[in-house]
Amino acid sequence: MKLQHTFVITLIILCVPLAQAADDDIQSSIDSCNKAIAAGDAFQALAYAERVLKQDKSNRSALLCKGRAHGATGQYKEALAALEAAEKLSATPLEHMVALTLTGNVYRSAKQFPEALDSYRKSLALARTGKDKRFERINLNQIGDTLMDKNEPDPALESYLAGGKLANNGNEHGDSYARIASTYNRLAQHDKAIEFQIKAVLAEEGAGDFDHYANAKLELGRIYTAAKEFPNAEKTLDKIIATSKQEGSAYWEAKGDYYLALAKVANGQPQPARALLNDAQRICKEIGALELGDQIAQALQNLSH
């Protein structure tokens, strides 16, 4: 569950204007396309986009959704063609920013990092000219993510710190603190990583969203593990596992077991770790959490070596 990425994409989707829709059928198809993207059904989204484009080949909103759908299935050439067509049809700074940021996302997914940075920076320049703090923050974070992909944590940290100053609510603060904490962790500056991840936990707790709070708490446990502060790691993870059980959230319970197992492996306790991984794997099978289940299976395999 990649909450940071989902958070950014959700903001962008909300910014995509639907004013081009000439009638109810076209608007309904564009709405359905965006909903399918949000639900992770790229193939269905593409079908809705193509339905609109058969009626209006220059429908910018449909081209944006088509680009995102192709990008989600790894068809990067087709994605870029659709998004570049949408960018050419953009008439306002906001429309240009949306198209450029989404184009940057596709380039980043394709590991074409210079092109991704160029797109994000063009969108960032428009945001600063128009004093659009929301898109300024989004692009600073996307630039930071791309620099992290390039294994350049120092400039990534600068970008995240600048973006963090523009956060406007609890979830945005939590998101920024978590990015900063993860970067300090990559730089092996564990005290700073712990400091900012605690800030992330407190921000998410105040925002009242359990998924974001649970994710922040687990990341705090992971960072304690990286810092070899094993008592703090286990205490933190035990608490979120218990809270997840109380909340009836099997996914976060399983992920908590997984993170706690990794802490125990790092602390030289393979047998308790194996029991936790087996329990987490059982939960994943029950709830159909395939990606997490694969990570747990790999951890079990590593224990056997």
Side-chain angles (χ1 to χ4, degrees):
M1 191 173 288
K2 299 177 181 178
L3 292 174
Q4 291 177 352
H5 184 64
T6 301
F7 179 72
V8 170
I9 294 300
T10 298
L11 279 178
I12 292 174
I13 290 170
L14 290 174
C15 288
V16 174
L18 300 175
Q20 286 183 336
D23 54 44
D24 290 342
D25 181 57
I26 288 180
Q27 181 159 344
S28 176
S29 293
I30 293 172
D31 286 342
S32 296
C33 185
N34 287 327
K35 288 176 182 176
I37 286 288
D41 191 345
F43 292 104
Q44 186 62 58
L46 186 59
Y48 283 120
E50 294 290 8
R51 180 186 302 175
V52 174
L53 292 169
K54 283 180 181 179
Q55 301 176 65
D56 177 7
K57 65 180 181 181
S58 296
N59 188 292
R60 179 180 166 279
S61 296
L63 286 166
L64 286 172
C65 196
K66 179 180 179 179
R68 286 165 34 227
H70 278 307
T73 58
Q75 297 172 303
Y76 302 128
K77 181 179 178 180
E78 294 84 351
L80 290 168
L83 291 171
E84 286 167 5
E87 207 278 326
K88 290 177 182 177
L89 292 167
S90 298
T92 68
L94 176 59
E95 290 179 352
H96 283 290
M97 284 187 288
V98 169
L100 286 166
T101 302
L102 291 173
T103 298
N105 291 349
V106 173
Y107 276 127
R108 182 184 166 215
S109 295
K111 301 189 184 304
Q112 294 179 243
F113 300 132
E115 292 84 353
L117 289 169
D118 182 62
S119 292
Y120 292 139
R121 285 167 177 157
K122 286 177 180 176
S123 184
L124 176 62
L126 287 171
R128 285 175 168 165
T129 297
K131 301 187 186 305
D132 188 322
K133 300 299 184 184
R134 174 175 55 178
F135 259 85
E136 185 177 353
R137 183 182 60 80
I138 288 172
N139 282 295
L140 284 166
N141 284 341
Q142 295 301 88
I143 289 167
D145 289 349
T146 307
L147 290 168
M148 289 292 281
D149 289 343
K150 291 183 67 184
N151 196 30
E152 297 180 16
D154 288 301
L157 181 61
E158 291 180 18
S159 198
Y160 289 145
L161 288 168
K165 294 176 181 178
L166 303 171
N168 197 41
N169 57 49
N171 285 139
E172 290 181 6
H173 282 293
D175 176 66
S176 290
Y177 291 144
R179 291 172 191 271
I180 294 166
S182 180
T183 309
Y184 276 126
N185 184 59
R186 176 85 74 88
L187 291 166
Q189 296 184 35
H190 298 302
D191 288 346
K192 296 293 290 185
I194 290 166
E195 174 192 341
F196 275 91
Q197 193 58 36
I198 288 173
K199 289 181 178 180
V201 169
L202 294 174
E204 298 293 6
E205 185 176 28
D209 182 301
F210 182 73
D211 284 342
H212 285 86
Y213 170 71
N215 188 66
K217 197 82 169 176
L218 288 177
E219 282 300 300
L220 178 58
R222 183 188 67 80
I223 289 171
Y224 275 133
T225 299
K228 300 188 184 304
E229 294 191 19
F230 299 118
N232 282 332
E234 294 198 16
K235 181 180 178 181
T236 298
L237 295 168
D238 280 335
K239 283 185 177 180
I240 194 58
I241 291 168
T243 304
S244 297
K245 289 178 180 178
Q246 292 170 4
E247 293 287 330
S249 179
Y251 176 85
W252 293 112
E253 179 186 349
K255 195 163 186 178
D257 284 345
Y258 170 54
Y259 274 43
L260 183 56
L262 296 181
K264 288 187 178 295
V265 169
N267 198 23
Q269 302 177 50
Q271 292 310 312
R274 186 182 303 278
L276 285 162
L277 290 170
N278 285 331
D279 189 51
Q281 192 172 56
R282 173 188 58 78
I283 295 171
C284 286
K285 288 179 180 178
E286 290 175 355
I287 64 175
L290 300 180
E291 183 177 352
L292 178 58
D294 288 344
Q295 294 172 1
I296 292 165
Q298 183 61 55
L300 279 166
Q301 186 177 344
N302 292 342
L303 267 182
S304 300
H305 293 160

